[in-house]
Amino acid sequence: GRGELQDVLQVKDLLVVFHGRDVSHLAWSPNTNITQIPKRIEFVVATKDFKLVLYHLDMADNPRFTEFGRHTGLINETAFSPNDASLLASVSDDYTCKIWDVNKMQEISQIQLRSPGVSVNFHSDSPTQLMVAEEHGKIGFYDTRSHKAVTSLQTPGPLGGAHWAPGELNLVAATAGHEVFFWNIAKSSVPTDSRMLLMQQAQTIRWDRSNSNLYGVIGRMKGGVFSIYHRAHQKVSSFNNAF
């Protein structure tokens, strides 16, 4: 329902990790498991000095971490493959998308972009494809084996962010200015729907992993509003983002 999100969501700290450097993005590894023994947490942090750091935690010992890669510009987003926990992709202001083997701690390949990369996604139902969104408005789909473009979508303006719906293979959404655009990529490279947002310029967008009718949007400015919407264009809830 409407109202403050903290009214319906309760959280508690399981473990606190002091990283010591400013973070631009964090990606959870599919190896993470906190419901069964042995409990295990793995994630990659992108730091604002352009580096990638892999963390391993077992909920008991001090965290182990390894710096394994870097870009030459700000890393805007990272993503693990849901089908292969060794595979990670990252996009940066340096006009590249890099694909990494985190087990071997090395770069596998690189996709050259025409503008800064703002978003990157794998999809469990299409394990050989990678979605890469660029700031100038292109959303490209690449074969992770040949690294060649498969298809692309175009938005009418600079992108804030994009997301490939985890629960629906053909559904993509992206923010551009004060709007959200939606695609059914099985039918067309042209947006099938859009909506205006009553907020400052939108940036991050995320589909709900268990309900493809719900998505969340965060404004571009620090401390911006985080809003949750239904695909029927109904705002479900919103609260101020303190970070």
Side-chain angles (χ1 to χ4, degrees), residues 93-167:
D93 282 352
D94 65 8
Y95 288 46
T96 65
C97 171
K98 294 186 177 185
I99 302 174
W100 309 85
D101 185 323
V102 297
N103 289 344
K104 296 180 179 179
M105 300 290 174
Q106 65 184 28
E107 181 182 332
I108 301 172
S109 60
Q110 184 177 133
I111 300 170
Q112 192 65 41
L113 309 177
R114 294 184 178 180
S115 67
V118 295
S119 295
V120 62
N121 291 150
F122 292 93
H123 201 289
S124 59
D125 293 331
S126 186
T128 62
Q129 286 193 27
L130 179 69
M131 188 203 82
V132 180
E134 299 185 42
E135 186 178 73
H136 71 40
K138 178 184 176 182
I139 302 174
F141 293 81
Y142 298 86
D143 188 296
T144 56
R145 298 162 300 184
S146 68
H147 314 126
K148 293 182 179 180
V150 177
T151 188
S152 65
L153 313 173
Q154 197 71 30
T155 60
L159 281 180
H163 197 217
W164 198 356

Side-chain angles (χ1 to χ4, degrees), residues 200-211:
Q200 78 264 29
Q201 286 197 337
Q203 185 167 7
T204 304
I205 184 166
R206 288 289 184 273
W207 290 103
D208 187 298
R209 290 189 172 274
S210 58
N211 185 345

Side-chain angles (χ1 to χ4, degrees), residues 2-158:
R2 296 180 181 273
E4 296 298 318
L5 197 60
Q6 54 261 38
D7 291 341
V8 296
L9 224 131
Q10 295 182 348
V11 298
K12 68 175 183 178
D13 292 339
L14 296 176
L15 198 66
V16 178
V17 178
F18 293 98
H19 177 65
R21 286 184 281 180
D22 289 340
V23 173
S24 62
H25 197 261
L26 184 150
W28 291 102
S29 166
N31 283 336
T32 294
N33 169 39
I34 60 171
T35 60
Q36 297 177 339
I37 303 296
K39 294 182 179 180
R40 179 179 183 182
I41 294 177
E42 290 186 12
F43 56 89
V44 161
V45 165
T47 67
K48 289 191 176 180
D49 55 356
F50 317 150
K51 297 175 182 177
L52 293 165
V53 185
L54 176 66
Y55 275 83
H56 300 269
L57 301 90
D58 61 9
M59 308 296 290
D61 297 329
N62 291 327
R64 295 180 290 113
F65 61 92
T66 307
E67 184 180 307
F68 66 92
R70 63 173 295 133
H71 281 261
T72 58
L74 186 69
I75 302 168
N76 293 310
E77 196 162 293
T78 57
F80 276 97
S81 166
N83 304 88
D84 182 355
S86 70
L87 201 62
L88 179 91
S90 58
V91 288
S92 167
D93 282 352
D94 65 8
Y95 288 46
T96 65
C97 171
K98 294 186 177 185
I99 302 174
W100 309 85
D101 185 323
V102 297
N103 289 344
K104 296 180 179 179
M105 300 290 174
Q106 65 184 28
E107 181 182 332
I108 301 172
S109 60
Q110 184 177 133
I111 300 170
Q112 192 65 41
L113 309 177
R114 294 184 178 180
S115 67
V118 295
S119 295
V120 62
N121 291 150
F122 292 93
H123 201 289
S124 59
D125 293 331
S126 186
T128 62
Q129 286 193 27
L130 179 69
M131 188 203 82
V132 180
E134 299 185 42
E135 186 178 73
H136 71 40
K138 178 184 176 182
I139 302 174
F141 293 81
Y142 298 86
D143 188 296
T144 56
R145 298 162 300 184
S146 68
H147 314 126
K148 293 182 179 180
V150 177
T151 188
S152 65
L153 313 173
Q154 197 71 30
T155 60

Side-chain angles (χ1 to χ4, degrees), residues 160-181:
H163 197 217
W164 198 356
E168 196 166 332
L169 179 61
N170 295 319
L171 182 61
V172 172
T175 59
H178 298 271
E179 291 185 83
V180 177
F181 295 88

Side-chain angles (χ1 to χ4, degrees), residues 217-227 238-243:
V217 179
I218 300 176
R220 185 179 293 273
M221 302 300 292
K222 182 178 180 180
V225 173
F226 171 49
S227 298
S238 65
F239 70 103
N240 288 327
N241 175 23
F243 303 100

